[in-house]
Amino acid sequence: MGSFGFVEVESGAMNTSMEDVMKPIQPFLTYDELLYINSYLLSISIPICIFGIFTNIVNILVFYKMGFSSPTNISLFCLAIADLLTLCFSLVISFGNHPALIRDDLSFSMIDFSRVGAQVYYSSCAIGSWITAVINVERSFCVVFPMKVKQIFTRKTTARLIAGMVIYQIASGLPRSFGVRFAWIPSAVTNRTIISYVIFNPRLVSLSYLVSFSLPNLICFFVVVVGTIFLISKFKQSRQLRSTMSRTGEKSNKMSDKDARLVRSMIFVSALYIYGATPNVLLYVIPAAYPSLHMDNPYLGYLHSLLLLAAIVAQAASCSVNIFVYVRMGSNFKTKATSVTISEVTPWPVGYQYYDILRDSVTSRLPAL
């Protein structure tokens, strides 16, 4: 060894100290940095989820009062239920992974408790993706085949499609229950034995996630993106044609005002879905091209965990703001929304006057198109 601590090697070889050889790999994101970012990220996620739960309860009540006379109302009613379930379990995941609760001396692991809720979260997300794709395809058919769409997408057809999606998600997600179990294991944080979520058949669990969440989301995401681009192009053509006809005094039967409002609303709903689903799609598309990005990687594992929670926050945000699109959809939804009382939304009889003020403010600022 030389005087400067380097190993003497033959000429032309790189000199490397023993300290450099034994130095462990430093992760791209340290555990403390992960907790610091998650504390802010999940603190934002919790109020978003609570707000979204409230707004989706309102959506469910309004669509129920509007009735199920059209396939679109049935689809939007079921979408509100799927979004409500997604937000409920997003709230569970946010509390379970919050750094302020991880080190609590409990008899069970909060992270493992949230992983149980994640099973329902992924299924409800996939159901929401299916329904959004059905709505998008139905609106596209309405533009292409306006005279035949009522025979293709009837109320019974829509109800059967949604029921089939729910049955598929239950059947494809059920095998995950046979690959996991609860066990008493020592905690590395509190140094006591706690109930933890143990995966003893990872291949079965991974396959179930692939079939019940990854593939449906990827297919529906592609369908919604293509359908949204198509609807935007047709909507622009309709506006240009209507503008030309208004100048020449001719009448056009390409798209009625009601259909134009509905298509525009579906474009916004699809755009919100794309915003919320894009992080999840990227999380299982990028690892296919870059396999090192996974949770067990010592260098990128914490980064993968952060991206996973960020995807949950984005999904929660997209599920929470649909009510603003629905209010702008037309006067019917706004009229029914103004008739919803706070006692129908929550069992706690507080804040009636503040709710009325907020409701009137929102509906007055968002007039019908």
Side-chain angles (χ1 to χ4, degrees):
M1 180 177 293
S3 59
F4 294 97
F6 291 91
V7 180
E8 295 179 356
V9 295
E10 295 181 1
S11 177
M14 182 180 294
N15 293 334
T16 306
S17 67
M18 188 62 65
E19 182 181 355
D20 292 336
V21 173
M22 302 301 294
K23 187 176 181 179
I25 298 176
Q26 294 297 323
F28 179 83
L29 187 70
T30 65
Y31 183 69
D32 290 338
E33 291 173 340
L34 175 66
L35 293 181
Y36 181 78
I37 298 174
N38 281 351
S39 63
Y40 285 98
L41 191 65
L42 297 178
S43 296
I44 296 172
S45 174
I46 291 173
I48 290 176
C49 291
I50 295 174
F51 173 76
I53 290 171
F54 176 82
T55 57
N56 278 284
I57 292 175
V58 174
N59 291 339
I60 292 170
L61 293 173
V62 171
F63 285 120
Y64 179 77
K65 289 184 176 183
M66 290 174 65
F68 307 121
S69 58
S70 68
T72 303
N73 279 9
I74 296 175
S75 299
L76 293 176
F77 174 79
C78 295
L79 180 61
I81 295 176
D83 287 346
L84 177 63
L85 290 175
T86 300
L87 288 164
C88 286
F89 289 98
S90 296
L91 187 63
V92 172
I93 294 170
S94 298
F95 275 114
N97 289 273
H98 201 286
L101 302 175
I102 290 178
R103 297 184 179 274
D104 285 350
D105 192 9
L106 303 174
S107 60
F108 59 91
S109 171
M110 288 294 296
I111 294 180
D112 290 341
F113 176 72
S114 67
R115 291 173 72 183
V116 176
Q119 313 302 316
V120 183
Y121 167 81
Y122 288 121
S123 296
S124 58
C125 277
I127 293 173
S129 298
W130 284 114
I131 296 174
T132 306
V134 169
I135 295 172
N136 199 282
V137 171
E138 190 262 337
R139 284 297 97 193
S140 299
F141 269 74
C142 185
V143 174
V144 179
F145 308 108
M147 305 303 295
K148 296 181 179 180
V149 67
K150 292 185 178 180
Q151 286 77 28
I152 299 174
F153 286 92
T154 62
R155 290 182 297 171
K156 289 184 178 180
T157 303
T158 303
R160 288 171 182 172
L161 278 174
I162 296 174
M165 297 166 194
V166 174
I167 293 173
Y168 171 81
Q169 288 303 136
I170 295 174
S172 60
L174 191 60
R176 287 198 295 268
S177 303
F178 301 101
V180 300
R181 65 186 176 191
F182 288 97
W184 290 92
I185 63 174
S187 171
V189 177
T190 60
N191 197 25
R192 60 177 291 188
T193 303
I194 61 174
I195 301 175
S196 293
Y197 182 89
V198 179
I199 300 176
F200 66 90
N201 193 340
R203 180 173 296 181
L204 178 63
V205 174
S206 299
L207 181 62
S208 178
Y209 273 119
L210 177 66
V211 175
S212 66
F213 179 69
S214 300
L215 287 179
N217 256 10
L218 187 61
I219 295 171
C220 294
F221 182 82
F222 176 76
V223 170
V224 172
V225 168
V226 173
T228 303
I229 294 173
F230 172 78
L231 288 176
I232 291 174
S233 64
K234 289 297 181 181
F235 185 75
K236 287 183 178 179
Q237 290 178 8
S238 177
R239 291 186 63 180
Q240 292 173 358
L241 181 61
R242 182 171 301 183
S243 177
T244 303
M245 295 300 171
S246 63
R247 288 196 298 266
T248 59
E250 300 178 9
K251 293 185 178 180
S252 172
N253 56 357
K254 290 294 291 182
M255 187 181 298
S256 65
D257 292 338
K258 181 180 179 181
D259 288 338
R261 288 197 302 268
L262 193 55
V263 167
R264 187 175 181 179
S265 300
M266 292 306 102
I267 290 173
F268 281 112
V269 170
S270 299
L272 289 174
Y273 165 78
I274 293 171
Y275 160 76
T278 297
N280 280 321
V281 171
L282 292 177
L283 273 176
Y284 48 76
V285 169
I286 293 177
Y290 188 70
S292 298
L293 184 62
H294 58 83
M295 197 170 293
D296 297 327
N297 188 297
Y299 181 68
L300 298 174
Y302 291 146
L303 176 62
H304 184 274
S305 299
L306 177 63
L307 295 176
L308 187 62
L309 289 178
I312 293 174
V313 176
Q315 185 75 44
S318 68
C319 293
S320 301
V321 296
N322 279 340
I323 188 172
F324 298 107
V325 179
Y326 299 152
V327 169
R328 293 183 62 91
M329 185 183 297
S331 58
N332 193 11
F333 186 93
K334 184 193 297 187
T335 302
K336 297 295 182 181
T338 54
S339 66
V340 176
T341 61
I342 191 67
S343 60
E344 293 179 287
V345 180
T346 176
W348 297 285
V350 283
Y352 285 17
Q353 56 183 351
Y354 300 106
Y355 167 76
D356 292 336
I357 294 172
L358 177 62
R359 181 191 62 191
D360 295 339
S361 175
V362 170
T363 55
S364 63
R365 291 175 180 270
L366 297 173
L369 294 178

